[in-house]
Every structure is written in C-alpha cells, then in structure tokens.
Amino acid sequence: MAITDRRQAAQPLPDLAARLFAGGLRWLSLREKDLDESRQVALAHALVERARPWGALVTLHGDPDLALAAGTDGVHLSEGADVAAARRRLGPGALVGLSAHDAEGIRRAAAGGADYVTLSPIFPSQSKPGYGPPVGTEGLRRLAADSPLPVFALGGVESGNIRECLAAGAAGVAVMGAVMRTPDRLSDLLKALKAGQPEG
C-alpha cells in the first residue's frame, strides 16, 4: 500500500498515481484529511479513474461517507474510530482498515470487523512522528503473531527492510514519503516485496 501526501509528492497526485499504477502499485490510499470534503471526493474520484485500468485498489483515509461518495474500494480509519459503523455504511464488500500502534488497537480493530490493520511506526520515520518509540521488528513479530488480522508494517519502511518486516509476520507493507518524493523507487520496493515473500 502507498499512502498519499501531496505536500511531498513529486507531481500532482492524479499524475503520480497513474505513474505508480503503471509501475506496478496495486493499492493507493488517499490521506489528505486537511482538504475540504468536496476536494477529497474529487481527488479520490480522479485516483479511482487512474486505478481501474490496472485493477488497482483505492481507499480513503478518514470518513466512510466520503469513501462512499468517491466510489473508492474502502476506507482506512484512525485508531479509535468505529469500525462496525464504517462496515455498516460501506457494506460487506468494502475494504475497512484501521491504524493501530499496539495490541489493544489491533484487538479493537478485529472486534469491530476490520479487514486489516497498519501497525506503526515500525522504524523511525519522517512521515509518522509523534506516535511513540518505534515498534521494531521484534515488536512487529510479537504483535503479528497474536493478531487475528493481517498486519501491514508502516513507518520507515524502505526496500532495505521490507524483507525483515515480512519475515517478522507482516502481511504487507505501507509506504508514504519514499514513493511520494521519488516515485522511481517503487521498482526497488516491489522487488524487495517479491523477494521477501515465501515461495509457493
């Protein structure tokens, strides 16, 4: 999963999204909560249009109503949000995820019926400051082993540490700044992701 940050983006988000999808990205989550609702919906629509030819997913960080209005594939909620209400609003086919930072956050996400959680920060990160000390790969290993949900590693994830995240039990990884600032780095990230997956 790549998470947007237009302030770091090398080009306008719809153009950047098209470039990333063409390069192999198959999941982009719009996280531009400071925009007003109409601009978020319009931007999400534009990303969805660019995702469809590639069969890629687009989710929206924030309000389930905006995700519904924009026609995204689902919503990503902040820790503490009402997962069950989002599921009721979006229906059983939507992807509903939640940000978690510890075992309790994962437990609440599972109890509410989330499909996955992002766990952060795994490593020190410019994009995820203020969330306490990094979980580290040992923390990821422990939390992923106990999690009933797929766990996506977030925070400081780079091509050089993707393999250890997957080895620690992450179902996948989420990146932000790396591909926003330098979209050409997507190739290395995808290679590392493929290399870290079990064969068969």
Side-chain angles (χ1 to χ4, degrees):
M1 180 202 311
I3 302 169
T4 71
D5 181 350
R6 71 186 190 282
R7 291 187 173 87
Q8 297 188 62
Q11 57 194 119
L13 284 180
D15 298 332
L16 182 60
R19 185 172 168 183
L20 292 172
F21 293 138
L25 181 71
R26 292 298 176 262
W27 186 357
L28 181 64
S29 197
L30 179 67
R31 187 184 188 280
E32 306 295 338
K33 296 180 184 181
D34 62 310
L35 292 178
D36 64 44
E37 293 185 356
S38 63
R39 290 180 68 194
Q40 285 190 58
V41 169
L43 189 49
H45 267 305
L47 300 185
V48 167
E49 287 178 0
R50 284 149 179 84
R52 290 299 176 249
W54 302 99
L57 297 171
V58 174
T59 50
L60 185 144
H61 269 60
D63 188 335
D65 288 335
L66 298 185
L68 190 64
T72 64
D73 298 286
V75 69
H76 185 89
L77 303 168
S78 300
E79 188 170 33
D82 190 336
V83 178
R87 173 66 68 203
R88 288 192 299 271
R89 186 76 178 103
L90 297 176
L95 198 58
V96 178
L98 191 84
S99 295
H101 308 289
D102 53 28
E104 178 59 20
I106 294 172
R107 188 198 66 74
R108 285 197 302 267
D115 295 301
Y116 70 92
V117 294
T118 57
L119 180 65
S120 67
I122 304 301
F123 307 106
S125 167
Q126 294 178 1
S127 301
K128 297 289 288 184
Y131 287 96
V135 173
T137 50
E138 283 310 307
L140 171 60
R141 188 183 308 279
R142 185 181 68 256
L143 292 167
D146 291 338
S147 175
L149 298 175
V151 173
F152 284 75
L154 171 64
V157 175
E158 299 278 357
S159 56
N161 58 33
I162 285 178
R163 187 180 293 222
E164 61 186 285
C165 289
L166 298 178
V173 298
V175 295
M176 181 186 285
V179 293
M180 290 292 107
R181 292 187 299 268
T182 316
D184 289 344
R185 294 172 70 182
L186 177 66
S187 175
D188 289 338
L189 291 165
L190 291 176
K191 286 176 186 173
L193 194 63
K194 186 174 182 180
Q197 291 172 341
E199 295 184 8

